[in-house]
C-alpha cells in the first residue's frame, strides 16, 4: 500500500477520466469527512457511480473502497495512540487519567446523542411489530458487530426463547436459507458493507424474510436489502474499528427495541423476566 494516498492521487490525476477527476477533487476538498462515508454516500455527494469509485481505488493499487478509507485515514492527522487527532474527544498520551476518562465519556455521550437524533419513532415501532410477531428472530453480525448481535440475543433471552444468535458466517448463511416470512433477521453492521453480510441478506431477501438493520450508514449496501433501517450515531474512523463509542449507540437501540417488545405483553414479559432472574439467582453466591 502506498504511504500517502493523497500523493498517489496527485500523481495519477492527469490520467484520470472526467468522473475520476471529479471524485479526486471531492476527496482533496473533503479529506477528513470522506474517510467516514459509505461508498454510496460518497458516490451521491460527488455525483459519480459506485463503480467509478471502485475502479478509482483499484487504479491506485488498493483492493477496494474500504482499503482506500484506511489509507486515507493513515495520511490524515493521527495521534500517537492511533486515533484521529482532529476531534476534541481524541485521547492523547500526555492526558492524565481523569482527562482520558472524561474524553471517553464525551465520546460515548456523542454516540448516544447522535443515535437519539437519528431515532425515527415510526421505524422503531415497525421494528418492534416485526419482532413481536416473529416465530424466530435471528441476531446476526460479523466481527465486532457479531458481539453486539450476541448482546441483543442475551438481552431478549431474559424474556423470550424466540431469539437465536449464530456466530459463524457459514451457519448464518444456512439459517438464512431456511428462514421464512414468519421469521425476522436482526442484523448489526456498523459499516453496512461486508461480503459475508451481503450473502446472508441476499438469501434472506430471496426467502422474503423481514430484515431489520442496525447501522451507521442508512445509504449502504446492507440498507438496500433491509426492510427497516435503524441508524446508530458516532463517526468511527477506519483506524478506530471496534470502538466502544460506536457500540454504545447500537446498545441503546437494543434497549429501545427490548422495552418496546416487553410493552406489547407486559404481564407475560414480566413473568418471563422474573422466571429467568430467579433461575440465574440460584447460580449467584
Amino acid at each position: 500500500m502506498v504511504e500517502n494516498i493523497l500523493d498517489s492521487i496527485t500523481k495519477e490525476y492527469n490520467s484520470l477520466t472526467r468522473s475520476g477527476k471529479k471524485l479526486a477533487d471531492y476527496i482533496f476538498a473533503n479529506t477528513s469527512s470522506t474517510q467516514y462515508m459509505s461508498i454510496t454516500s460518497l458516490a451521491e455527494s460527488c455525483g459519480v457511480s459506485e463503480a467509478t469509485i471502485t475502479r478509482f481505488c483499484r487504479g491506485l493499487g488498493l483492493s477496494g473502497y474500504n482499503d482506500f478509507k484506511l489509507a486515507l485515514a493513515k495520511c490524515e492527522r493521527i495521534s500517537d495512540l492511533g486515533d484521529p487527532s482532529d476531534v476534541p474527544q481524541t485521547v492523547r498520551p500526555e492526558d492524565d487519567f481523569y482527562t482520558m476518562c472524561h474524553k471517553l465519556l464525551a465520546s460515548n455521550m456523542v454516540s448516544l446523542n447522535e443515535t437519539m437524533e437519528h431515532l425515527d419513532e415510526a421505524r422503531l415501532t415497525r421494528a418492534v411489530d416485526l419482532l413481536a410477531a416473529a416465530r424466530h428472530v435471528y441476531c446476526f453480525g460479523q466481527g465486532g458487530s457479531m458481539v453486539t448481535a450476541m448482546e441483543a440475543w442475551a438481552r431478549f433471552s431474559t424474556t423470550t426463547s424466540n431469539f437465536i444468535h449464530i456466530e459463524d458466517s457459514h451457519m448464518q448463511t444456512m439459517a438464512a436459507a431456511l428462514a421464512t416470512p414468519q421469521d425476522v433477521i436482526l442484523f448489526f453492521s456498523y459499516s453496512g458493507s461486508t461480503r459475508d453480510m451481503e450473502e446472508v441478506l441476499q438469501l434472506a431477501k430471496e426467502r422474503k424474510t423481514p430484515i431489520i438493520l442496525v447501522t451507521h450508514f442508512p445509504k449502504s449496501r446492507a440498507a438496500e436489502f433491509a426492510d427497516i433501517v435503524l441508524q446508530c450515531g458516532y463517526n468511527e474512523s477506519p483506524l478506530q474499528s471496534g470502538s466502544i463509542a460506536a457500540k454504545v449507540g447500537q446498545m441503546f437501540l437494543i434497549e429501545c427495541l427490548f422495552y418496546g417488545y416487553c410493552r406489547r405483553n407486559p404481564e407475560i414479559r414480566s413473568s418471563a423476566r422474573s422466571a429467568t432472574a430467579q433461575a440465574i439467582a440460584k447460580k449467584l453466591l
Side-chain angles (χ1 to χ4, degrees):
M1 182 180 294
V2 295
E3 292 185 2
N4 190 317
I5 196 65
L6 296 178
D7 289 342
S8 182
I9 295 173
T10 301
K11 292 176 183 178
E12 297 293 328
Y13 187 84
N14 290 331
S15 63
L16 295 173
T17 62
R18 181 183 301 177
S19 57
K21 289 179 179 177
K22 190 175 182 180
L23 174 59
D25 291 340
Y26 183 89
I27 292 168
F28 285 136
N30 303 275
T31 303
S32 295
S33 59
T34 299
Q35 64 181 286
Y36 298 105
M37 301 172 72
S38 68
I39 189 172
T40 305
S41 297
L42 178 58
E44 185 177 284
S45 296
C46 60
V48 302
S49 68
E50 293 184 24
T52 294
I53 297 175
T54 300
R55 287 194 298 270
F56 178 86
C57 296
R58 290 176 178 169
L60 295 171
L62 304 170
S63 62
Y65 182 61
N66 287 328
D67 201 16
F68 169 74
K69 289 205 300 182
L70 182 59
L72 196 61
K74 287 182 177 180
C75 75
E76 274 284 89
R77 292 173 294 171
I78 302 171
S79 74
D80 291 341
L81 297 181
D83 289 344
S85 60
D86 57 350
V87 293
Q89 299 85 20
T90 295
V91 176
R92 305 177 187 280
E94 63 269 21
D95 291 337
D96 59 41
F97 202 80
Y98 176 82
T99 300
M100 178 193 73
C101 294
H102 185 75
K103 285 183 174 181
L104 294 175
L105 173 62
S107 295
N108 290 318
M109 291 304 297
V110 167
S111 179
L112 287 170
N113 288 332
E114 289 183 352
T115 302
M116 190 64 195
E117 289 174 5
H118 294 313
L119 199 63
D120 185 305
E121 184 177 352
R123 290 182 182 179
L124 193 65
T125 300
R126 286 175 54 214
V128 172
D129 289 342
L130 286 175
L131 296 179
R135 182 188 62 165
H136 296 125
V137 178
Y138 295 98
C139 301
F140 289 163
Q142 279 107 31
S145 294
M146 180 275 293
V147 178
T148 310
M150 182 184 290
E151 289 283 1
W153 164 73
R155 188 69 174 117
F156 279 92
S157 289
T158 63
T159 192
T160 179
S161 60
N162 293 349
F163 283 64
I164 299 170
H165 174 251
I166 301 175
E167 296 183 20
D168 183 77
S169 62
H170 291 192
M171 300 302 291
Q172 289 179 10
T173 301
M174 291 168 61
L178 296 177
T180 72
Q182 286 70 51
D183 300 318
V184 169
I185 290 183
L186 178 58
F187 205 99
F188 294 84
S189 176
Y190 178 88
S191 69
S193 302
T194 66
R195 289 187 177 87
D196 287 340
M197 168 218 73
E198 186 168 355
E199 291 177 358
V200 171
L201 297 188
Q202 178 69 57
L203 275 171
K205 200 69 176 177
E206 292 172 1
R207 299 283 296 178
K208 294 182 171 54
T209 305
I211 299 167
I212 301 171
L213 173 69
V214 177
T215 184
H216 181 63
F217 298 100
K219 295 179 180 180
S220 61
R221 182 59 177 156
E224 295 176 11
F225 293 103
D227 296 278
I228 300 172
V229 177
L230 301 178
Q231 186 179 0
C232 59
Y234 196 72
N235 282 330
E236 182 183 69
S237 163
L239 294 170
Q240 292 176 297
S241 180
S243 66
I244 297 300
K247 289 183 172 64
V248 165
Q250 298 177 54
M251 297 295 289
F252 173 63
L253 288 173
I254 291 173
E255 198 75 333
C256 290
L257 291 172
F258 176 78
Y259 277 97
Y261 183 86
C262 290
R263 287 174 56 185
R264 295 304 170 89
N265 294 289
E267 293 184 3
I268 294 175
R269 301 309 170 201
S270 177
S271 176
R273 294 181 71 185
S274 294
T276 54
Q278 186 174 352
I280 293 299
K282 297 176 181 180
K283 295 182 176 294
L284 302 178
L285 296 176

